[in-house]
Amino acid sequence: MCNNRFGHRGFGMRHEFHGRDFGQHRGGYRVPVNIVKNDGHYEMLIFAPDRNKEDFNVKVKGFELSISYEVKDDLGEKRNWIRHEFDKTSFERTFMIDDSVDTENIRAEYTNGILQLILPIIPGAERPSHDISVS
């Protein structure tokens, strides 16, 4: 990919930037995320069951991709729980992307508790890897 201001090659997405953790989360809950590189795009899978797709907020600002969810109604406080092992909580995760990602054509779909993002790679934007000799 590109050698950009983040000083990395070979990665179109980064989860950590200069020692600062960009996997931000609120309230101690960190929603699990899987990222895979396929031919021509990255695929992000965010595990977030029992959510309303309208309440997700996905945005790109510069080289940051943010995914958040805000709980509108906290039913957990209104119920008489007999057993309570999980919550439907708000969250926010932020990832660094580079200029090889076509940010204008990112797609998102929420199905069966998984928010799937497709981040297309701009054709020709990736630089091939190469070996560096150690002297």
Side-chain angles (χ1 to χ4, degrees), residues 36-44 116 118-119 121 126:
V36 64
K37 182 179 179 203
N38 296 309
D39 288 335
H41 69 274
Y42 295 98
E43 180 180 10
M44 296 182 73
Q116 177 190 38
I118 301 296
L119 295 90
I121 297 171
E126 292 183 286

Side-chain angles (χ1 to χ4, degrees), residues 46-68:
I46 298 96
F47 181 69
D50 192 30
R51 305 299 205 282
N52 298 316
K53 67 180 181 179
E54 298 82 19
D55 296 330
F56 285 102
N57 183 17
V58 180
K59 68 179 177 180
V60 175
K61 183 177 181 184
F63 290 102
E64 292 183 9
L65 170 67
S66 297
I67 302 126
S68 62

Side-chain angles (χ1 to χ4, degrees), residues 65-83:
L65 170 67
S66 297
I67 302 126
S68 62
Y69 183 89
E70 191 68 37
V71 173
K72 302 289 187 200
D73 183 21
D74 188 7
L75 295 176
E77 299 298 319
K78 300 174 185 174
R79 294 185 177 171
N80 185 19
W81 294 105
I82 294 174
R83 184 178 196 118

